[in-house]
Amino acid sequence: MEMQWSLPAPDDRVEYELWTTPTDTISKDFQRQFKEAAVALGDRAYFTPQMYIYDGLRSGCVSLDGENECYNLCTNNGRYCATDPDNDLDRGISGADVVRESLRRMCIWQHYGAVNGVGAEWWDYVNEFMYRCDTEEFFSNNQCIKDAMIHANIDD
């Protein structure tokens, strides 16, 4: 887990980032517990979650004819990729599953957190997802994801 603090900021707020993925085991405790602190910091700080997604073009995952060359690690014909969290390409959570959940979290942040830098709903969604869907069986289950969004008060 890595956090970066930068001072001074042009708007007199501390700016901090969390670089992670939905399957990052090291930052899960932080993600479960930090919402209260983020809310308490309020307008004195600005948080930005960052997701590790690899550029499939630069990684050689897009063939000359535009096809995905990296099996189930990528989406969009090999354009956006993530590592396979269990290192088993034939079963379990795939890199493409991680990319889709990463993009979902980025969208939720843009709609619920980017304006104020707190994103209480983003923290709620991440926690609901970890509680309800963070297993091989439910990670990419649309009903589970929808349920997590409902419990976090996220419009789908």
Side-chain angles (χ1 to χ4, degrees):
M1 180 170 78
E2 176 183 329
M3 287 189 71
Q4 294 182 354
W5 301 84
S6 61
L7 289 173
D11 55 7
D12 293 327
R13 294 191 294 182
V14 173
E15 297 178 11
Y16 63 108
E17 300 177 339
L18 171 67
W19 285 84
T20 188
T21 68
T23 55
D24 175 16
T25 57
I26 295 183
S27 70
K28 285 188 187 213
D29 285 341
F30 174 83
Q31 292 179 59
R32 280 188 192 99
Q33 299 168 5
F34 200 75
K35 176 192 172 189
E36 186 177 328
V39 170
L41 288 168
D43 64 359
R44 294 177 300 280
Y46 189 90
F47 170 69
T48 305
Q50 304 286 354
M51 300 290 147
Y52 286 111
I53 298 176
Y54 302 99
D55 183 340
L57 290 171
R58 296 182 83 190
S59 300
C61 291
V62 181
S63 69
L64 293 175
D65 61 352
E67 296 295 318
N68 182 1
E69 294 285 314
C70 290
Y71 194 48
N72 64 359
L73 298 178
C74 307
T75 63
N76 299 71
N77 294 321
R79 179 68 179 90
Y80 306 104
C81 308
T83 57
D84 187 299
D86 59 8
N87 293 315
D88 186 340
L89 296 177
D90 294 319
R91 62 169 208 77
I93 301 167
S94 70
D97 293 333
V98 173
V99 170
R100 281 187 284 277
E101 181 58 27
S102 295
L103 293 175
R104 183 175 300 106
R105 291 181 185 194
M106 291 166 65
C107 287
I108 290 170
W109 178 257
Q110 287 303 314
H111 288 281
Y112 292 93
V115 172
N116 66 10
V118 175
E121 297 88 350
W122 182 87
W123 292 101
D124 288 341
Y125 171 76
V126 169
N127 277 285
E128 290 293 338
F129 182 90
M130 285 191 289
Y131 176 72
R132 298 171 190 288
C133 310
D134 199 17
T135 65
E136 191 175 297
E137 180 180 359
F138 292 109
F139 190 88
S140 59
N141 179 288
N142 288 333
Q143 186 56 49
C144 187
I145 293 163
K146 184 175 182 172
D147 192 41
M149 291 175 84
I150 289 168
H151 282 85
N153 295 314
I154 302 293
D155 297 327
D156 61 348

